[in-house]
Amino acid sequence: MTPHGRTPHAVGGHRARERARATVTILLDSFLLLPIGILVALIWANTAGVSYFRVAHALRFIVNDVGMAFFVGLVTEEAFEAVRPGGALHPWRRTLVPLVAATGSVLGATAVYVVYLRNRSEFMLLDGWPVAAAQDVTLAYFIAKAIFLDRRGPIAFLILMAIVSNAIGIVSIAIWHPANPETLPLAVALMAAAILLAGILRAARVDRIWVYLTTSGALSWIACYWSGIQPALAFVPLVPLLPHRPRRVGLSAEAQRATPRRLEHIFKYTVQVVLLFYGLVNGGVVIAGEMPGAWAVLLAALVGRPAGILVSIALAVAVGLHLPTRLHWRELIVVSLAASAGFTFALFFAAAVVPAGPLLNELKLGALSTVVSAVLAFTAARLLHVGRFAGHRLPAGHSVSA
Amino acid sequence: MWRVARLLRCWSVALAGLAVVSTASAVDLALPNRTGTVKFVVLGDFGSGEPAEYQVAAQMAAFRTRFPFDFVITTGDNIIGGQDDPADFAEKFQRPFETLLQAGIQFYATLGNHDKAANRSYGPWNMNGRRYYAFAVKNVRFFALDSNRPDRAELAWLDDALARANGDWKICYFHHPLYSDGVKHGPALELRVLLEPILMRHGVDVVFSGHDHVYERLVPQGGISYFVTGAGGQEAHSLRRSAATAASFDREQTFTAVEVDGAELRFQTVSRSGDTVDAGMIRKRGQTSPGGAR
């Protein structure tokens, strides 16, 4: 018996529960649930493919078309709050170079993707170009944080660029899906009603997010589904009308928690669970034979995107725009490589533009493969003595002797 | 200058094709060739414009002198590489199959991963702008599918179309194989999970696919006879036989001739050189005695 009157068994059980709670917290805070889901899916798909795809297809609707609406809404909220007064993208002059870099990123990646596939005569895969343009904000953040440590400039630049790149991709996907002519008028009316209702709720100073989501959110989802637009985009037109508090990118974690955003505040852990299942449902790629689509996505991400970023920034500087203060070209090279990871967003874009089948399988493998950008970014940082490796750089005139 | 080179190249491959014709009369006909039956050829992955395609086409034309098939169904990759210029279609389709086209043979195509989406509007392929479609010839219903983008609308259409085809032979054809022992690509497992329940639910009899440049006839899966007929003219791939392989051939290009007579479907697969590499009979599902090889 312990001094507190507990038996050793009770103490052991309490410690086990505490360890489990700590483990879950680490998994949630470190965004590890998505990679875990993907890993399980990869192993399952390549060992018992038929059973995997049966389960994945059974879950696909609820995960991809319903659950992911919360993830996309949360990301959209991030972008919207960045452009509001007090946000990192406000005023617009602060965002010019990241905007230019994001545009260059999309153009560079898309160009490499298209050229590669045309050379291989893989014309059916050309429609998947948004996959090449996607950037994984979370993974890029972790790579940049691991390299640049507390240097906020490069991290903020990377995050802004990723947000804009994905916004370009999301708009492209919304335009991409051909509207169903028969239901389009009703879908447009429903979407208008959804937006109007959200506006009314906002004017009435309704402060509960659930009211917005269950009323105008539901109408918007139905409108997207009927019109053929990816239903996970349902909350995107409503985000500007939701109650918001401004957020600044680059704040310390403590400062960020002091100013929580509403969707993130409510759905942060829910979205993590959704991402676990998202990885499980979409990460199962059968790795077999030639997969030109996978190579196209990978080359676009690792070659096209960094080239597009650097060329566009060079052009921007040439016409008189200024780089963010204390951001050196060597750091930009590392940032452009860190931005190469498509991963989550590339998976999402792939599932949104190509239906389940052989072509989607190739695009998803390419999306997952872009995780190697972490290795490239670290290697470049070491070679260029950037971030955590800056201290290894020797003064001019000095060299290492054998 | 490049047009001259192109023309010279076409003539050389055409001459190579002529050399094949003389061997065609030596092909043993393994089909009954009765009057009033449904006769067609299955061809896939052929549109390369290379000598092999011309030779296969010449072999088909020569074969038709003994087995007068009425139309051709294709399992995709109907044209490879450049396909923006009308000269590409001339080189890779119209000239190789000139004899058949002049005889009024219709081609009913599906698109493969190397085809452009716009090719569904190419008149001689009878897709009429559609990604998927169906047509009937006597007691045989054909369902041409788009395996590149099998969306919900297509699956719903297939489910409905098959449900209305009771009593007839049901033959589906599309590019990516649900079952294949081809080394380069293999089976499309996710597509199998999507399509197979629909095919089995409605008692589809035969499925033809391409993508792997081999010929393979598989042991019936769920009562459905699957063929991989992707060796129409492109470079041949290799195949690794499995327990599911009933017959296979991967040494050169092939085409498969089919005759449907009542409750029996007979097939004969002929190589570019004029050898019969497989032949057999499949009985309509629901009838007595399953089919088998010769």
Side-chain angles (χ1 to χ4, degrees):
Chain A
M1 189 75 72
T2 68
H4 299 286
R6 285 179 168 176
T7 64
H9 178 74
V11 170
H14 176 73
R15 284 181 184 153
R17 282 193 296 275
E18 285 301 313
R19 276 198 294 271
R21 193 173 294 125
T23 301
V24 169
T25 302
I26 290 172
L27 287 176
L28 291 174
D29 287 341
S30 305
F31 299 90
L32 288 177
L33 291 186
L34 173 64
I36 289 172
I38 290 173
L39 188 60
V40 170
L42 275 172
I43 295 171
W44 191 356
N46 286 280
T47 54
V50 173
S51 68
Y52 166 75
F53 285 117
R54 282 189 182 136
V55 172
H57 279 237
L59 295 176
R60 182 156 290 160
F61 173 78
I62 193 68
V63 172
N64 287 12
D65 292 352
V66 180
M68 283 301 283
F70 295 92
F71 173 72
V72 176
L74 200 151
V75 173
T76 305
E77 182 184 64
E78 175 108 22
F80 177 70
E81 292 190 346
V83 301
R84 294 178 75 243
L89 291 174
H90 186 84
W92 61 272
R93 284 187 185 81
R94 297 177 61 184
T95 67
L96 273 182
V97 176
L99 276 175
V100 169
T103 305
S105 162
V106 173
L107 291 175
T110 303
V112 169
Y113 180 84
V114 169
V115 168
Y116 178 82
L117 289 177
R118 286 190 70 91
N119 274 339
R120 295 291 304 267
S121 298
E122 293 283 348
F123 299 107
M124 283 294 176
L125 281 163
L126 289 176
D127 293 345
W129 68 264
V131 182
Q135 291 187 35
D136 191 307
V137 179
T138 307
L139 185 56
Y141 170 79
F142 276 116
I143 295 172
K145 194 85 169 83
I147 293 174
F148 293 104
L149 303 174
D150 291 330
R151 283 284 316 279
R152 292 176 187 160
I155 296 174
F157 189 96
L158 179 61
I159 298 299
L160 299 181
M161 189 172 54
I163 290 173
V164 174
S165 294
N166 289 331
I168 295 173
I170 288 174
V171 169
S172 301
I173 289 171
I175 296 172
W176 175 265
H177 273 267
N180 188 337
E182 290 82 36
T183 59
L184 185 59
L186 181 59
V188 170
L190 272 176
M191 181 59 77
I195 294 173
L196 180 63
L197 180 57
I200 292 172
L201 292 172
R202 182 71 183 271
R205 297 181 186 277
V206 174
D207 203 34
R208 290 183 181 274
I209 287 285
W210 282 109
V211 176
Y212 291 82
L213 296 183
T214 54
T215 56
S216 54
L219 285 176
S220 177
W221 190 93
I222 295 171
C224 287
Y225 187 77
W226 274 357
S227 66
I229 295 174
Q230 168 57 246
L233 303 176
F235 295 158
V236 172
L238 303 179
V239 163
L241 296 167
L242 296 178
H244 287 281
R245 296 195 184 104
R247 181 178 185 273
R248 293 173 68 91
V249 173
L251 287 179
S252 65
E254 292 77 12
Q256 288 177 15
R257 278 194 285 273
T259 57
R261 295 162 301 162
R262 297 300 294 270
L263 275 178
E264 182 189 26
H265 180 66
I266 298 171
F267 294 113
K268 178 181 176 183
Y269 291 132
T270 304
V271 164
Q272 291 299 314
V273 175
V274 169
L275 287 176
L276 168 67
F277 282 95
Y278 185 77
L280 187 65
V281 168
N282 296 279
V285 178
V286 176
I287 303 170
E290 274 193 7
M291 303 180 81
W295 286 108
V297 172
L298 188 60
L299 286 172
L302 300 185
V303 176
R305 187 170 302 144
I309 291 170
L310 296 172
V311 168
S312 60
I313 292 176
L315 291 173
V317 170
V319 299
L321 295 180
H322 297 289
L323 285 176
T325 55
R326 301 177 63 186
L327 200 60
H328 196 273
W329 271 104
R330 288 182 288 111
E331 292 168 326
L332 281 174
I333 291 172
V334 175
V335 165
S336 69
L337 289 170
S340 297
F343 215 55
T344 314
F345 272 85
L347 273 184
F348 172 72
F349 287 5
V353 300
V354 179
L359 301 187
L360 179 61
N361 190 67
E362 294 188 32
L363 294 178
K364 288 197 295 184
L365 180 61
L368 296 177
S369 302
T370 59
V371 72
V372 301
S373 66
V375 175
L376 293 181
F378 268 91
T379 303
R382 188 175 179 87
L383 291 174
L384 296 173
H385 306 287
V386 163
R388 68 191 307 125
F389 304 106
H392 297 174
R393 193 178 191 192
L394 296 175
H398 285 70
S399 61
V400 176
S401 57
Chain B
M1 186 61 140
W2 69 269
R3 286 188 188 274
V4 172
R6 200 171 195 172
L7 198 59
L8 284 173
R9 183 167 168 274
C10 288
W11 274 110
S12 65
V13 298
L15 284 171
L18 282 175
V20 170
V21 174
S22 62
T23 68
S25 59
V27 176
D28 293 329
L29 191 61
L31 303 169
N33 197 20
R34 299 192 183 108
T35 306
T37 57
V38 178
K39 302 181 181 68
F40 62 97
V41 161
V42 188
L43 188 69
D45 299 70
F46 54 91
S48 62
E50 297 296 323
E53 181 190 6
Y54 279 77
Q55 290 160 7
V56 169
Q59 194 64 256
M60 286 171 61
F63 190 80
R64 190 172 181 272
T65 62
R66 303 187 61 202
F67 178 75
F69 56 87
D70 300 302
F71 59 95
V72 177
I73 64 174
T74 83
T75 55
D77 283 357
N78 309 295
I79 187 165
I80 318 297
Q83 46 196 277
D84 296 314
D85 194 325
D88 294 319
F89 286 83
E91 177 186 349
K92 299 171 185 178
F93 176 69
Q94 291 162 359
R95 268 197 281 276
F97 297 97
E98 188 172 8
T99 305
L100 295 178
L101 292 170
Q102 286 178 348
I105 301 302
Q106 296 293 314
F107 283 70
Y108 296 95
T110 59
L111 298 186
N113 53 294
H114 289 294
D115 292 302
K116 287 190 173 180
N119 292 353
R120 62 181 184 257
S121 299
Y122 179 60
W125 289 345
N126 286 293
M127 298 182 72
N128 299 316
R130 299 167 295 183
R131 290 194 298 116
Y132 44 89
Y133 61 98
F135 63 98
V137 179
K138 295 192 173 84
N139 67 329
V140 184
R141 286 185 180 261
F142 296 87
F143 301 86
L145 305 179
D146 177 7
S147 62
N148 298 292
R149 305 178 66 88
D151 56 18
R152 275 194 289 249
E154 180 177 354
L155 298 178
W157 169 86
L158 179 64
D159 200 20
D160 179 64
L162 286 171
R164 290 186 277 109
N166 282 331
D168 291 338
W169 280 88
K170 300 187 188 75
I171 297 178
C172 294
Y173 60 102
F174 43 88
H175 188 60
H176 298 86
L178 304 191
Y179 293 90
S180 170
D181 291 300
V183 171
K184 188 161 188 178
H185 297 296
L189 290 181
E190 190 168 15
L191 190 66
R192 184 194 299 176
V193 169
L194 286 174
L195 280 182
E196 194 173 38
I198 300 175
L199 303 180
M200 290 178 62
R201 182 163 62 244
H202 295 293
V204 168
D205 301 286
V206 183
V207 172
F208 295 102
S209 299
H211 200 41
D212 273 315
H213 301 171
V214 300
Y215 169 76
E216 186 179 17
R217 174 168 56 88
L218 291 111
V219 173
Q221 306 289 323
I224 302 173
S225 297
Y226 289 91
F227 291 79
V228 180
T229 52
Q234 292 189 60
E235 182 183 357
H237 294 162
S238 57
L239 178 148
R240 193 174 296 127
R241 292 178 64 100
S242 72
T245 305
S248 65
F249 184 77
D250 61 359
R251 287 197 297 275
E252 59 177 8
Q253 294 73 19
T254 60
F255 65 90
T256 299
V258 180
E259 181 174 5
V260 181
D261 182 10
E264 293 182 351
L265 180 150
R266 293 181 185 274
F267 57 90
Q268 179 179 1
T269 299
V270 180
S271 73
R272 175 170 59 94
S273 305
D275 298 319
T276 296
V277 301
D278 190 24
M281 186 269 289
I282 297 169
R283 190 169 293 275
K284 178 84 176 69
R285 290 183 73 174
Q287 306 290 323
T288 54
S289 305
R294 61 177 176 165

